[in-house]
Amino acid sequence: TAPHPRLVPRRGLRRDDAAEFVGVSISKFDTWVKEGKLPQPTRIGGVVLWDIRKLDAAMDELLGGPDEADPFA
């Protein structure tokens, strides 16, 4: 049997994963970052990362706040 992929929780997301996390295309993600709807990334050395917690908070704002029934809120 094939090995199972290892799922590792991540705090920092690269651009394509960040766009997938918020549920939009990369081009829409770039637009929302440019417009200030989503946070700017952090650059550490040559790595550009978006903080998943900041993305989640920004999406709460865009969608009208956290859902009280959401167990992840």
Side-chain angles (χ1 to χ4, degrees), residues 1 5-6 11 15 19 29 34 39 43 49 53 58 66 68:
T1 63
R6 184 171 162 222
R11 172 83 184 265
R15 183 169 153 253
F29 180 81
K34 185 177 180 180
R43 288 172 176 79
L49 297 172
R53 293 177 188 170
E68 297 300 323

Side-chain angles (χ1 to χ4, degrees), residues 1-61:
T1 63
H4 294 281
R6 184 171 162 222
L7 300 176
V8 178
R10 295 177 290 160
R11 172 83 184 265
L13 301 176
R14 293 188 184 254
R15 183 169 153 253
D16 57 337
D17 291 327
E20 185 176 358
F21 176 74
V22 300
V24 297
S25 68
I26 292 174
S27 62
K28 178 59 75 176
F29 180 81
D30 291 344
T31 299
W32 285 3
V33 170
K34 185 177 180 180
E35 292 174 349
K37 293 178 181 176
L38 294 175
Q40 292 291 319
T42 299
R43 288 172 176 79
I44 304 169
V47 180
V48 178
L49 297 172
W50 276 265
D51 183 326
I52 197 168
R53 293 177 188 170
K54 290 180 181 179
L55 288 171
D56 199 35
M59 289 303 294
D60 281 346
E61 287 292 320

